[in-house]
Amino acid sequence: MKMGNQTVVSEFLLLGLPIGPDQQDLFYALFLAMYVTTVLGNLLIMFLIRLDPHLHTPMYLLLSNLSFSDLCFSSVTMPKLLQDMQSHISSISYAGCLTQMYFFLLFADLESFLLVAMAYDRYVAICFPLHYTTVMSPRLCLGLLVLSWVLTIFISLLHTLLMARLSFCADNVISHFFCDMSALLKLACSDIQINETMIFILGGLVIIVPFLLIFSSYARIVSSILKVRSARGIRKAFSTCGSHLSVVSLFYGTIIGLYLCPSANNSTIKETVMAVMYTVVTPMLNPFIYSLRNSDINGALRRIFSKWTISFFSTSDFKD
């Protein structure tokens, strides 16, 4: 649709993943399996934390919010990607594109702030174990969650409103499998200086500051661990932090490599693969990392399974 000499874009075309037509079915099955695993895995963690009283602690309250964030983060892009791969129709409306961008930024930023809160929780638990229950009170934990949600809602809404003020030229093809903010800015035919300035400022708040806070927390944790003479205590502390460090490495490593350290030699294929790492792979791996390396989660799963088994057989005996 045209207004004067300017084209008003009513929809965008997503190029999707850089794969050939003969590989569509294979990758569709792969990504479908990954998405189902993400949904079931994160729902399981939320379910266990909700049902097991032993997990009603600040650490697992933050973990349940992280699982919810991962579930929603993956659901923002994956259903649309799977639909496009199956129907071969990759169009998305202008409003739908901005909506997808808003929720993508919302849950990506939320995960970043939640990882900071979890790092602080581990710092207090390991460095000040006698004061943990006092410092990490329910009030503080709730305050951290509310602050994380308020900041992410504000930041994602600001970026979306700034994007909505832009005009887009005739080229409406997005070289991505979702409405990525940087890909959309490349299509704009109006001044994007304000957008780029806010990305730089808020990007520091969402990525650099949390990364430095997490690094600082774990530097202090390592320093505290090395002072412990007990080998058992050292193994227990590293085991507790291992899962969190794995998530942080996966999440921030790909984002920093893609957005903060871009290379002129980066191809669209390389950028898409890196985007898949933090939008698809990381939310899928989080449940495995926490369940396989966390004795509390494994214990909760055994207790609930045993309780249901006993209840099932008791009901069967009663009927007989």
Side-chain angles (χ1 to χ4, degrees):
M1 184 173 65
K2 291 187 177 181
M3 296 180 63
N5 296 325
Q6 199 171 45
T7 302
V8 178
V9 175
S10 60
E11 67 176 13
F12 293 98
L13 297 178
L14 299 169
L15 285 185
L17 298 173
I19 55 179
D22 56 328
Q23 298 176 317
Q24 285 283 342
D25 292 339
L26 175 63
F27 276 91
Y28 176 81
L30 174 63
F31 281 103
L32 178 61
M34 294 172 70
Y35 179 60
V36 171
T37 302
T38 300
V39 172
L40 295 180
N42 284 291
L43 282 177
L44 176 63
I45 289 183
M46 295 165 60
F47 177 74
L48 291 175
I49 294 174
R50 176 68 179 84
L51 290 184
D52 195 318
H54 296 86
L55 300 182
H56 293 174
T57 63
M59 174 183 174
Y60 292 105
L61 175 61
L62 295 173
L63 176 56
S64 64
N65 277 265
L66 181 66
S67 295
F68 176 76
S69 177
D70 282 331
L71 175 62
C72 296
F73 185 44
S74 182
S75 298
V76 169
T77 57
M78 286 298 290
K80 175 60 178 173
L81 173 61
L82 293 170
Q83 178 188 358
D84 293 344
M85 294 178 70
Q86 188 70 12
S87 64
H88 306 290
I89 300 175
S90 57
S91 63
I92 182 171
S93 66
Y94 175 82
C97 191
L98 290 184
T99 301
Q100 186 186 57
M101 190 193 81
Y102 169 78
F103 284 106
F104 178 85
L105 293 173
L106 173 66
F107 292 112
D109 295 350
L110 179 61
E111 177 149 350
S112 183
F113 289 128
L114 288 175
L115 290 175
V116 175
M118 293 176 69
Y120 178 72
D121 175 83
R122 291 301 84 205
Y123 164 69
V124 176
I126 294 175
C127 298
F128 305 98
L130 298 179
H131 302 284
Y132 176 75
T133 54
T134 304
V135 176
M136 288 301 296
S137 62
R139 183 177 181 180
L140 175 62
C141 190
L142 181 61
L144 291 174
L145 289 175
V146 171
L147 179 62
S148 298
W149 276 97
V150 170
L151 285 175
T152 53
I153 290 173
F154 169 76
I155 292 171
S156 55
L157 182 60
L158 179 60
H159 280 307
T160 304
L161 292 176
L162 288 175
M163 186 67 69
R165 56 178 279 277
L166 299 179
S167 300
F168 294 91
C169 303
D171 185 9
N172 66 337
V173 178
I174 300 176
S175 301
H176 222 305
F177 64 91
F178 67 96
C179 291
D180 181 59
M181 184 165 54
S182 60
L184 279 172
L185 288 177
K186 294 177 182 178
L187 302 180
C189 53
S190 52
D191 186 15
I192 61 173
Q193 184 176 358
I194 297 178
N195 298 71
E196 292 178 334
T197 301
M198 296 309 300
I199 290 174
F200 179 78
I201 296 174
L202 297 179
L205 174 64
V206 174
I207 300 176
I208 300 298
V209 173
F211 180 76
L212 292 177
L213 289 174
I214 293 173
F215 178 81
S216 175
S217 296
Y218 277 98
R220 292 174 178 269
I221 288 173
V222 171
S223 176
S224 178
I225 289 174
L226 294 178
K227 295 178 183 178
V228 179
R229 296 182 180 181
S230 169
R232 181 181 178 183
I234 292 176
R235 286 196 301 270
K236 183 178 180 180
F238 273 114
S239 175
T240 303
C241 299
S243 57
H244 190 196
L245 283 174
S246 301
V247 174
V248 169
S249 300
L250 281 171
F251 185 73
Y252 285 102
T254 51
I255 290 180
I256 290 175
L258 185 60
Y259 294 107
L260 298 186
C261 300
S263 172
N265 298 324
N266 279 1
S267 62
T268 302
I269 295 177
K270 183 178 179 180
E271 292 179 353
T272 303
V273 171
M274 294 179 70
V276 168
M277 286 298 297
Y278 77 88
T279 59
V280 181
V281 177
T282 301
M284 181 193 68
L285 290 181
N286 282 353
F288 290 98
I289 291 172
Y290 283 112
S291 61
L292 294 178
R293 301 192 60 178
N294 191 303
S295 59
D296 293 336
I297 293 291
N298 290 328
L301 183 60
R302 287 193 297 268
R303 285 190 293 270
I304 292 177
F305 181 76
S306 299
K307 182 178 179 180
W308 283 3
T309 302
I310 294 173
S311 177
F312 174 77
F313 282 111
S314 298
T315 304
S316 299
D317 294 339
F318 178 77
K319 290 181 178 180
D320 292 340

